Amino acid sequence: MRLGEQEAIALDAADPLARFRDRFELPTGPDGRSLVYLAGNSLGLMPRAARAYVAQELDDWARLGVEGHFHAKTPWYGYHETLRDPLARLVGALPGEVVAMNSLTVNLHLMLATFYRPTPSRHAILIEEKAFPSDIYAAQSQATLRGLDPASSVLVVPETEVLETLERRGGEIAVVLLSGVQYYGGRLFDIPAITRAARSKGCVVGWDLAHAAGNVPLELHDWNVDFAAWCSYKYLNAGPGAIAGCFVHERHASNVALPRMGGWWGNDPETRFRMHLNETFVPRATADGWQLSNPPILAMAPLRASLEIFDEAGIGPLRSKSLRLTAFLEALLEAVPGSPFEILTPRDPEARGCQLSLRVKDRPRERFAALEAAGVVADFRPPEVIRVAPVPLYNSFHDVWRAAEAIAEVGA
């Protein structure tokens, strides 16, 4: 065995979370061997239980038709409520502060419709450089919808200058909209410190947690975050285009006078179906009050299967394993002599999730293709970055060793 493999095998043998790997479908190569899947930051793997959860809803639909809303095994009318408690545990929220609904960017728009209230003196949305493009588009379009010029009302700053910008220009900023974990370079922002600093300047603070939910521990309620949104198809393993999540702090969620985009599923359920009598939107006094439409059952079923695994494993133990997995990969990569790969992600383990972003010094696409041919599933971001994410729920230390060996070979 080559250097590092024995250590990887020993680490896997001692890993109390290793058993969860068998709860997921692992893609295989042409030789039938499991691929090294390090793309959970793009699309998480399928929980094996997801098939049965979706099949149950299909069976209930076939058997009951419309009566499934109230008589399915898990009645569809309140199906989204089955996700409330596990989501709250995962992101550190009160149950009434979270709701599974829509997709990530839709939820960001809904949040900005409520919380972005620009004035002539305070009209900027603060966002980091290299934020995910959809976040930039959302911020720009929200400014445009209010008759503002995005060039002056969307304030884009380097990720390392957020606190300094808040100190210097906080009075101009209406909303802070940052990534919990930056998708390109993998930086984990200091969410509580930034939230405190922004709120002290009178800013509303929102977070895009697409790369943070299910990746790092979160305490959104205690950190006094105003709002947050996340997708569920990355670290939450709910499938392509999965239902997203949203957090609204209870101080806002309980305020039914807050302006918002109304829809019938956000309405008080006591009057929701009085369609000819109730023509005034009366929002629920929880995060549910931002819902628009009835829940998409077939999209929610896989998330139920995944959240059960998170509840069983616990985000604390998962974070502990994640730190060890990522550090092991980092150590193996640093041992490669003359490597063309430079790690962009912060070296401080507390300042990153499970992702390492590798800048390729030459022939990036060619080297990425070679990595794929070697059985490593990663993610390429133009012009020169390969992102690898060892996910603690289903990646092993031996996966990490195999990936490092392949990276060393394609870098030679």
Side-chain angles (χ1 to χ4, degrees):
M1 295 185 181
R2 298 186 221 179
L3 179 67
E5 188 174 16
Q6 286 282 16
E7 183 181 3
I9 292 171
L11 287 168
D12 282 328
D15 175 20
L17 299 179
R19 60 192 174 91
F20 289 103
R21 180 179 173 91
D22 291 335
R23 305 274 284 273
F24 292 86
E25 298 286 355
L26 302 173
T28 57
D31 59 358
R33 188 184 187 192
S34 293
L35 298 173
V36 179
Y37 192 86
L38 300 181
N41 57 342
S42 186
L43 179 67
L45 291 183
M46 174 184 155
R48 288 184 171 174
R51 194 184 307 275
Y53 276 73
V54 173
Q56 178 67 56
E57 305 315 323
L58 292 172
D59 289 345
D60 285 346
W61 181 19
R63 182 173 58 90
L64 296 168
V66 72
E67 294 300 318
H69 283 92
F70 298 100
H71 300 296
K73 183 178 180 181
T74 304
W76 302 333
Y77 181 76
Y79 199 96
H80 68 284
E81 296 173 1
T82 67
L83 305 174
R84 180 181 292 151
D85 286 349
L87 278 179
R89 287 189 288 270
L90 191 66
V91 300
L94 302 179
E97 294 176 323
V98 296
V99 60
M101 63 181 189
N102 308 313
S103 58
L104 169 56
T105 306
V106 171
N107 288 341
L108 287 177
H109 275 296
L110 292 175
M111 293 297 99
L112 289 169
T114 291
F115 293 107
Y116 180 43
R117 319 305 294 177
T119 67
S121 61
R122 186 189 288 273
H123 57 84
I125 300 175
L126 177 68
I127 197 165
E128 85 270 14
E129 277 184 353
K130 294 187 176 177
F132 196 73
S134 195
D135 290 12
I136 294 283
Y137 304 155
Q140 291 172 335
S141 57
Q142 287 287 332
T144 300
L145 284 166
R146 288 161 174 78
L148 301 171
D149 181 0
S152 57
S153 291
V154 178
L155 181 57
V156 181
V157 301
E159 59 189 56
T160 57
E161 297 179 13
V162 169
L163 286 171
E164 184 273 332
T165 302
L166 284 168
E167 179 61 31
R168 182 167 48 88
R169 301 183 62 181
E172 306 168 38
I173 298 168
V175 172
V176 173
L177 180 62
L178 299 171
S179 306
V181 173
Q182 214 281 332
Y183 93 100
Y184 189 80
R187 176 184 298 275
L188 169 59
F189 282 96
D190 190 338
I191 298 175
I194 292 171
T195 300
R196 283 194 304 270
R199 285 179 51 77
S200 74
K201 295 293 184 178
C203 312
V204 173
V205 187
W207 293 90
D208 174 347
L209 301 176
H211 290 266
N215 181 9
V216 296
L218 300 165
E219 296 293 340
L220 300 183
H221 176 82
D222 289 347
W223 292 341
N224 280 317
V225 168
D226 289 297
F227 70 87
W230 58 90
C231 59
S232 299
Y233 52 82
K234 303 181 192 299
Y235 297 106
L236 296 187
N237 315 304
I243 194 76
C246 197
F247 165 88
V248 183
H249 198 280
E250 68 170 343
R251 64 178 173 274
H252 304 305
S254 62
N255 182 3
V256 297
L258 278 178
R260 69 195 75 196
M261 308 294 289
W264 77 317
W265 226 255
N267 195 72
D268 180 355
E270 295 298 320
T271 60
R272 182 178 290 155
F273 283 97
R274 297 179 190 173
M275 298 178 182
H276 64 291
L277 300 175
N278 180 50
E279 296 179 358
T280 301
F281 176 63
V282 181
R284 294 195 71 176
T286 66
D288 283 16
W290 277 264
Q291 292 181 106
L292 297 179
S293 302
N294 50 319
I297 305 305
L298 298 180
M300 288 184 164
L303 182 56
R304 284 186 66 205
S306 181
L307 290 176
E308 286 183 357
I309 299 174
F310 275 98
D311 263 347
E312 187 178 341
I315 192 63
L318 286 169
R319 174 61 169 167
S320 179
K321 178 181 176 180
S322 176
L323 290 170
R324 298 194 305 275
L325 268 178
T326 306
F328 187 50
L329 176 58
E330 182 181 37
L332 291 171
L333 293 178
E334 288 181 331
V336 177
S339 173
F341 300 99
E342 173 194 359
I343 298 175
L344 294 181
T345 308
R347 296 307 182 93
D348 177 4
E350 298 300 327
R352 66 191 185 198
C354 71
Q355 173 181 311
L356 291 181
S357 295
L358 311 178
R359 175 184 285 135
V360 188
K361 297 174 184 176
D362 63 88
R363 297 181 287 136
R365 289 190 179 275
E366 179 182 332
R367 294 188 191 278
F368 178 69
L371 200 59
E372 286 187 311
V376 177
V377 182
D379 177 77
F380 183 75
R381 294 288 161 168
E384 57 187 4
V385 169
I386 296 174
R387 305 185 307 160
V388 291
V391 174
L393 266 178
Y394 48 74
N395 282 130
S396 66
F397 287 91
H398 196 258
D399 281 341
V400 165
W401 176 82
R402 286 177 59 193
E405 287 289 292
I407 290 170
E409 288 177 12
V410 304

